[in-house]
Amino acid sequence: MNRLLLFAAIGGLGAGAVLTAGCDEVSARRLIQEGDSHYEDGEFKEAVAKYERALEKSPDLEVGHHNAGLAYVALFRPGDDDEENLGYAEKATVHLKRYLEAEPGDGRVRGLLTRTWVDAEQYDRARAYWKGQFEEQPDNLRILDRLANIERHAGEYGASIDRFRERAEREEAPAAKIESFLNIAKLQMSRLDNPEIVGAERVEIADVAIGALQEAKALDPEHETVLNYMGALYRGRSFGHGASWANRIDQATFLVHRTAYEEVAGIEAADEQAEEDVEDDADGDDDADGD
């Protein structure tokens, strides 16, 4: 964890630099170093106290906001609605956002900021941030994946699928389109893992995923992952029918796609080669024994 910290160097500053920085900044950097020591020892409350004192002396010190954000994240416990705990999440995001104002290209911190909002169930803040990022970078279509995943965590599955579809429509490269269709399939597959989803609801969830994979398959009929997921989804769909003819049809369709996947992936050929290797080894052992 300590490798994530930024370090507030003091020793490398010459006399002129110290005067330029001012006594407050030098004092703030020393406090940050003390906070870092607490952080590395897992003493996060003591660490944030040092960082906050440092930022009182030098409010614009990027390293202070960065490390304070990390320490508050370390204090935060996802899933705990205690007021003090939610306060840690709030302070973490305030400091991380302040740091990003100076270093907007730090993807690791952007990811940490987003995860903290999501873990604190502050989905509106996460949405607003990434919608703002997309307005600034309309050609960065991967931001749509970020927004889709935020919606998934919020339980807004329809909105998540809409975001993945939007990316698929905007992308020009077939591989990128397929990636988006697969993301829809993966989302729906994760929902089918819930044993409480049964009957018509299970069939409907599977059908959305299968429809996306059919679009992907049209772009690349022999895409291994697409064929693999297609088979798995038909199998998951079959459980929505109970013991019926429709169940048998889905099971048969699952086998068709599994066979197609194995042929494209060369799984059968690999098995045959393994059998030949075993036979060759056996022959070699016999010869050695004969000698």
Side-chain angles (χ1 to χ4, degrees), residues 226-248:
V226 170
L227 293 172
N228 194 22
Y229 269 93
M230 188 79 85
L233 280 158
Y234 270 109
R235 188 168 187 271
R237 186 182 192 274
S238 70
F239 301 141
H241 297 303
S244 66
W245 181 248
N247 177 291
R248 294 184 180 183

Side-chain angles (χ1 to χ4, degrees), residues 75-133:
L75 285 168
F76 173 60
R77 302 177 303 278
D80 185 343
D81 292 335
D82 177 76
E83 184 176 349
E84 181 183 38
N85 186 53
L86 293 177
Y88 293 147
E90 177 67 21
K91 290 177 180 178
T93 57
V94 167
H95 284 294
L96 293 176
K97 280 188 69 179
R98 184 69 181 272
Y99 167 76
L100 285 171
E101 290 174 5
E103 298 291 339
D106 193 328
R108 179 183 55 79
V109 171
R110 286 202 309 269
L112 184 59
L113 174 65
T114 307
R115 191 185 75 196
T116 304
W117 274 323
V118 168
D119 286 345
E121 298 184 3
Q122 296 176 350
Y123 305 116
D124 287 342
R125 291 187 177 186
R127 288 188 190 100
Y129 177 80
W130 284 104
K131 284 180 180 178
Q133 292 293 302

Side-chain angles (χ1 to χ4, degrees), residues 249-262:
I249 292 174
D250 278 352
Q251 287 285 351
T253 309
F254 153 63
L255 291 173
V256 168
H257 283 94
R258 187 180 71 174
T259 300
Y261 161 70
E262 289 176 347

Side-chain angles (χ1 to χ4, degrees), residues 53-71:
R53 282 182 58 197
L55 289 167
E56 288 175 6
K57 294 178 176 292
S58 185
D60 296 327
L61 203 55
E62 297 166 24
V63 63
H65 290 292
H66 179 280
N67 292 1
L70 293 187

Side-chain angles (χ1 to χ4, degrees), residues 143-154:
I143 292 176
L144 293 172
D145 289 347
R146 283 277 194 182
L147 287 166
N149 285 321
I150 291 166
E151 299 294 1
R152 174 176 63 84
H153 284 292

